[in-house]
Amino acid sequence: MKFAGRMNSFIHKGDVDIFQTIEKYRNMKGITHLEFNYPEHIAPNDMQKLIDCIGDMKVNGVATRFKNHFVAGEFTNPNQDICRDAVQLCKDAVDACVQLHGEVLTVWLGFDGFDYAFQIDYEEKWNATIKAYQEVADYANEKGIKVSIEYKPFEPRAFSMIDGIGLTLLALQEINRPNVGVTLDFCHMLMKNESPAYSLALAARNGKLFGLHMNDGYRVMDSGLIFGSVNTPQALEFVYYLKKYNYDGVVFFDSFPFREDAQKEIEMNIEMFNRLSQTVDKIGMDKIAEVVAKQDGVASQGLILEMLK
Ligand SMILES: [Mn+2]
């Protein structure tokens, strides 16, 4: 498996910078890839110094981070100049991704949404979102970079423009570009009350599963707990479907070790994922498929019990 962890799991502790964090990941068992935020981890630093520090480690990609300038919206901001800034930030992030030899630009539009009735013209803002994604996708495609939409139902906005797997797939259809897909964040799916494996199947059946943000939580908020710690049966089912669809991308752990030792927390995420993966292998794909084919809740629970043995 290909694994990556959050840079900010170390940086937010306050005692290391991006260069020291890269070193920590280089020496961490199981980690194969790095993942950067743009502009946060890249723009303030010398690009050549970053490239030298990365050395022979692989880079999965770059994720956009929109700060307060965009608080009223990225692609849907009432100020057209700020909408242009958001598209430009994505293009700059694509350029950074190319320089770092990454493959995927992950876009989370946290500020595109609304909080009040009569606040936005839905059709106009939906259309603006599609158009902006098309512009970013075409720019990225010329440079051989994939663009992946990370949806989240709410927070910081009360409602996000692209809030779940359904609207994401509708957006992908309308964007209509081969290099645009979806990144599934486990907590975001739970917040939307989705069944994570169902969202996975819907994305993967058309080859649109471009990325994973693995973590766990209790549905009401973006808790960022260790993968598989809360919704263990759902995590097992998710891993089963990853195998069924032969997912060979990077497994990025988007969890938040606020009170935990960052290194141990990331290692535990890797261990959880590997253990769940081994459990699925031990039972066997065919045996699991046989149980699923029965559409029998009791048989399904029996399978879960067997997995927990
Ligand atoms: Mn995420």
Side-chain angles (χ1 to χ4, degrees), residues 96-132:
C97 193
V98 170
Q99 286 183 283
L100 297 172
H101 300 293
E103 293 175 15
V104 192
L105 175 75
T106 307
V107 181
W108 170 53
L109 301 171
F111 294 125
D112 272 339
F114 51 94
D115 311 298
Y116 293 95
F118 302 105
Q119 188 168 15
I120 67 164
D121 182 314
Y122 301 115
E123 183 177 345
E124 184 191 318
K125 294 303 173 183
W126 174 266
N127 292 342
T129 304
I130 300 300
K131 228 176 134 213

Side-chain angles (χ1 to χ4, degrees), residues 150 185 188 213 215 254:
E150 181 185 3
D185 183 302
H188 297 183
H213 282 193
N215 48 33
D254 195 6

Side-chain angles (χ1 to χ4, degrees), residues 69-84 111-114 119-121 124-125 128 157:
H69 177 59
F70 300 97
V71 73
E74 293 100 349
F75 296 163
T76 65
N77 199 288
N79 179 338
Q80 283 307 305
D81 292 337
I82 298 178
C83 294
R84 296 307 309 160
F111 294 125
D112 272 339
F114 51 94
Q119 188 168 15
I120 67 164
D121 182 314
E124 184 191 318
K125 294 303 173 183
R157 301 306 296 259

